């Protein structure tokens, strides 16, 4: 083993020994009964020092709203959803569900013309 | 009947907010108008109001039993729980086409949210979400409409073999496989439609407007409404069988809204129908729902006219306020840009129509598929498809 690698292994071993953790949580699966880190970033590892029996795990989007965006409430498509999902939004603008019309393929003589729900006539 | 002049009501099922009759084309270029929750709500509580604020589908919740338009903050719990669409999301709109549960399609009702295997083998037995077959890519969702299939089509052979279609019980399988060139899967495997809930088979708009009409129930559904006229419902309906190769004819405002038929019961105006015939090598026999009715038309010039039904943007006299067809049709036709004298007494009236709709859902377990004698020996079937029964009398 090279000297540099040996030093790295010793250093990380020392770090584990001093703090009892590697990267914040124990390297082994977090056991709430033994985890010494109250700020364990593993969302499935509850606060070991004061586990709350009534706590409901936050959903992914609740964690994103509250912990990442710092928002307590939904603020509408533009100010909430599009912060992360603007790519999907641009895709939507090109879709049939959005436009309610599209290039005709199934009516002889109208191929390529833009028609659809917006301008068809039915008996309903 | 068409969306033009009625946008505020019809767009309750648009995936955006605030598409009204006076909405500019630029609306469609603004991502801020998108409604993400209509597809991505997983709580089942998200609603859109049909008519508040002039329509256009503002977000709403049921509060104390009343459908109530709400501010964004009230949707926070919905926002925290967004997820992959389920059948509940899709069917909220696709099962209520035509203005009520299973009114239009005949093979899509909210019964398919929690179906048994008998009701549909894919949605019931296998609990497939819609997008298992109607695959999504970049928010484009596969599934042909009568007009376009630019987001992809869905066919049985996407998953089921086209070459070794039937494989069990060798002799029977061989006989069945003799049919697959000219008989579509849906024909035998959807023996009837609307098996658990009735669908509209006839819709007479001309009978609307009566405050005193009786409203007897048929299959548990009302047959008369002052706003809409008279309905005839059907349940466990035997399909109409037609040759089909993917091509349609369809009435379209200003492009194809005149007609050559007499517009009588015996010779109704064709709203939409497959155009293939037995002579088309690529055509197969498919099942369809046949929906007949009567709707406003310029009888002098033989043109179906768009009536203004909802909202006062396009004019003060939509039918659902004025209950006057003359005024409502004049406003609707003008808004849609159709040539029309506006003189209901001279030119207006009602044409009889027929509309064929494809049947693709409510796929029955194979034990319940059509049997030989359902077609062979059934003269009505051979008259419909225009050929002689090879085993008939």
């Amino acid at each position: 083993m090279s000297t540099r690698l040996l030093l790295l292994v010793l250093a990380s071993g020392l770090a584990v020994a001093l703090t009892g953790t590697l990267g914040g949580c124990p390297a082994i699966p977090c056991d709430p009964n033994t985890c010494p880190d109250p700020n364990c970033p593993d969302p499935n590892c509850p606060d070991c020092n004061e586990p709350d029996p009534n706590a409901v795990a936050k959903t992914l989007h609740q964690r994103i709203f509250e912990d990442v965006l710092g928002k307590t409430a939904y603020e509408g498509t533009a100010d909430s959803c599009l912060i992360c999902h603007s790519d999907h939004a641009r895709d939507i603008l090109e879709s049939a569900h959005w436009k309610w019309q599209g290039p005709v393929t199934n009516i002889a003589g109208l191929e390529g013309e833009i028609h659809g729900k917006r301008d068809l006539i039915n008996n309903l | 009947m068409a969306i033009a002049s009625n946008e505020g009501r019809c767009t309750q099922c648009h995936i955006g907010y605030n598409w009204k009759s006076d909405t500019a084309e630029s609306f469609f270029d603004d991502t801020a108008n998108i409604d993400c929750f209509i597809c991505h709500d997983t709580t089942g509580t998200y609603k859109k109001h049909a008519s508040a604020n002039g329509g256009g589908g503002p977000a709403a919740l049921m509060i104390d039993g009343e459908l109530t338009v709400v501010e964004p903050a009230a949707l926070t719990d919905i926002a925290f729980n967004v997820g992959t669409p389920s059948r509940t999301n899709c069917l909220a709109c696709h099962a209520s086409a035509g203005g009520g549960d299973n009114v239009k399609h005949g093979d899509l009702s909210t019964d398919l949210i929690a179906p048994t295997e008998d009701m549909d083998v894919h949605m019931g037995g296998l609990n497939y979400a819609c997008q298992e077959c109607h695959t999504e890519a970049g928010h484009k969702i596969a599934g042909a409409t009568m007009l376009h299939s630019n987001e992809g089509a869905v066919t049985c052979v996407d998953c089921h073999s086209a070459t070794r279609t039937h494989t069990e019980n060798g002799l029977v399988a061989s006989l069945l496989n003799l049919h697959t060139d000219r008989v579509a899967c849906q024909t035998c495997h959807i023996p009837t439609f609307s098996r658990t809930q009735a669908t509209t088979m006839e819709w007479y708009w001309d009978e609307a407007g009566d405050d005193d009409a009786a409203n007897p129930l048929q299959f548990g559904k009302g047959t008369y409404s002052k706003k809409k006229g008279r309905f005839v419902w059907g349940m466990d309906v035997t399909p109409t069988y037609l040759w089909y190769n993917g091509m349609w004819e369809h009435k379209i405002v200003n492009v194809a809204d005149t007609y050559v038929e007499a517009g009588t019961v015996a010779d109704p105006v064709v709203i939409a129908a497959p155009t293939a015939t037995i002579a088309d090598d690529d055509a197969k026999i498919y099942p369809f729902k046949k929906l007949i009715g009567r709707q406003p038309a310029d009888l002098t010039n033989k043109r179906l006219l768009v009536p203004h039904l909802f909202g006062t943007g396009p004019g003060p006299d939509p039918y659902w306020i004025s209950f006057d067809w003359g005024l409502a049709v004049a406003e609707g036709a003008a808004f849609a840009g159709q040539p029309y004298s506006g003189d209901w007494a001279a030119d207006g009236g009602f044409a009889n129509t027929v509309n064929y709709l494809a049947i693709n859902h409510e796929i029955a377990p194979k034990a319940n598929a059509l049997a030989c004698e359902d077609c062979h020996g059934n003269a009505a079937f051979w008259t419909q498809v225009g050929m002689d029964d090879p085993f008939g009398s």
Side-chain angles (χ1 to χ4, degrees):
Chain A
M1 196 186 289
S2 75
T3 314
R4 189 175 292 169
L5 189 54
L6 189 61
L7 280 171
L8 193 62
V9 170
L10 283 173
S12 59
L14 201 60
V16 174
L18 284 175
T19 67
T21 64
L22 186 68
C25 251
I28 49 176
C30 182
D31 180 351
N33 295 315
T34 60
C35 174
D37 184 353
N39 298 313
C40 177
D42 179 351
N44 293 315
C45 180
D47 183 329
C48 317
N49 289 333
E50 292 178 21
D52 177 358
N54 297 319
V56 176
K58 288 187 185 181
T59 63
L60 171 66
H61 276 84
Q62 182 174 3
R63 297 210 313 271
I64 288 169
F65 270 82
E66 294 182 347
D67 304 336
V68 176
L69 300 177
K71 294 176 189 280
T72 55
Y74 173 70
E75 295 171 2
T77 304
D79 295 326
S80 296
C81 314
L82 299 189
I83 293 172
C84 298
H85 297 293
S86 57
D87 284 359
H88 298 308
R90 279 191 290 276
D91 287 344
I92 289 257
L93 296 191
E94 302 304 316
S95 73
H97 274 79
W98 176 250
K99 296 185 180 187
W100 276 16
Q101 61 188 18
V104 173
T105 53
N106 303 340
I107 300 183
L110 294 182
E111 292 89 343
E113 287 188 27
I114 305 299
H115 297 293
K117 207 170 176 59
R118 273 204 238 181
D119 65 347
L120 58 74
I121 292 175
N122 62 26
N123 57 355
L124 290 130
Chain B
M1 320 311 276
I3 289 174
S5 77
N6 305 306
E7 288 82 355
R9 173 68 174 91
C10 301
T11 60
Q12 180 188 12
C13 266
H14 182 239
I15 60 169
Y17 297 115
N18 291 314
W19 178 1
K20 303 179 188 180
S21 298
D22 57 354
T23 291
E25 197 61 32
S26 56
F27 168 90
F28 296 96
D29 296 326
D30 189 351
T31 54
N33 294 319
I34 295 173
D35 173 4
C36 309
F37 294 148
I38 190 173
C39 297
H40 290 287
D41 169 44
T42 64
T43 68
T45 60
Y46 181 72
K47 310 253 179 257
K48 291 166 75 92
H49 205 293
S51 53
N53 307 339
L61 297 173
M62 292 302 288
I63 298 177
D64 295 329
E66 287 281 323
L67 187 63
T68 311
V69 176
V70 294
E71 291 298 308
L75 302 172
T76 298
D77 185 57
I78 288 172
F80 284 178
N81 286 285
V82 289
T84 306
S86 67
R87 291 192 300 275
T88 304
N89 298 102
C90 308
L91 289 169
C93 287
H94 287 278
S96 62
D101 204 352
N102 204 28
V103 162
K104 176 176 176 181
H105 288 292
D107 66 344
L108 285 178
S109 78
T110 56
D111 291 352
L112 293 171
I113 290 175
T116 61
E117 189 184 7
D118 276 355
M119 289 161 65
D120 184 283
V121 295
H122 299 104
M123 294 186 254
L126 294 169
N127 197 25
Y128 278 2
C130 307
Q131 56 270 36
E132 277 292 334
C133 299
H134 294 274
T135 51
E136 176 270 345
H139 278 87
K140 291 182 167 54
I141 299 171
T145 72
M146 296 177 190
L147 275 66
H148 31 70
S149 34
N150 53 303
E151 295 194 353
V154 177
T155 67
C156 311
V157 298
D158 291 343
C159 296
H160 295 277
S161 169
T163 52
R164 289 180 55 76
T165 310
H166 306 95
T167 54
E168 296 168 16
N169 189 342
L171 177 59
V172 174
S174 302
L175 288 171
L176 294 175
N177 289 335
L178 289 175
H179 290 72
T180 55
D181 271 353
R182 294 290 261 169
V183 181
C185 313
Q186 293 91 319
T187 295
C188 299
H189 290 285
I190 308 174
T192 59
F193 58 87
S194 295
R195 296 198 290 277
T196 60
Q197 181 180 158
T199 187
T200 304
M201 300 302 295
E202 303 176 29
W203 187 338
Y204 301 106
W205 281 96
D206 59 314
E207 299 187 31
D210 190 341
D211 282 308
D212 303 316
N215 180 16
L217 297 184
Q218 188 186 14
F219 303 116
K221 298 195 176 185
T223 56
Y224 185 81
S225 114
K226 182 184 176 189
K227 283 183 169 180
K228 299 184 179 181
R230 184 170 59 89
F231 302 98
V232 175
W233 299 95
M235 200 150 159
D236 207 24
V237 183
T238 298
T240 298
Y241 297 106
L242 300 172
W243 291 97
Y244 173 65
N245 63 359
M247 300 302 287
W248 288 86
E249 60 173 296
H250 207 303
K251 288 284 180 276
I252 298 175
V253 178
N254 291 329
V255 168
D257 55 9
T258 57
Y259 56 89
V260 296
E261 299 91 340
T264 58
V265 170
D267 184 24
V269 175
V270 175
I271 296 281
T275 54
T277 69
I278 192 173
D280 290 302
D281 288 338
D282 62 346
K284 295 189 187 185
I285 296 168
Y286 279 80
F288 293 87
K289 166 178 160 177
K290 177 181 176 182
L291 169 60
I292 65 175
R294 271 194 291 275
Q295 69 195 76
D298 177 341
L299 300 179
T300 305
N301 296 291
K302 301 185 82 168
R303 174 180 281 108
L304 295 178
L305 297 175
V306 178
H308 177 208
L309 299 172
F310 168 89
T312 51
D317 295 309
Y319 189 74
W320 291 344
I321 291 178
S322 69
F323 291 99
D324 181 321
W325 283 116
L327 295 175
V329 171
E331 285 183 355
F335 186 87
Q338 293 181 292
Y340 170 53
S341 67
D343 188 343
W344 182 251
D347 300 320
F350 293 88
N352 288 274
T353 59
V354 60
N355 185 4
Y356 294 97
L357 298 113
I359 294 294
N360 290 301
H361 307 93
E362 288 196 80
I363 298 170
K366 58 188 173 187
N368 299 340
L370 291 185
C372 312
E373 64 272 15
D374 287 311
C375 297
H376 294 283
N378 175 2
F381 171 80
W382 300 96
T383 305
Q384 242 178 49
V385 299
M387 56 188 285
D388 294 327
D389 182 352
F391 300 100
S393 49

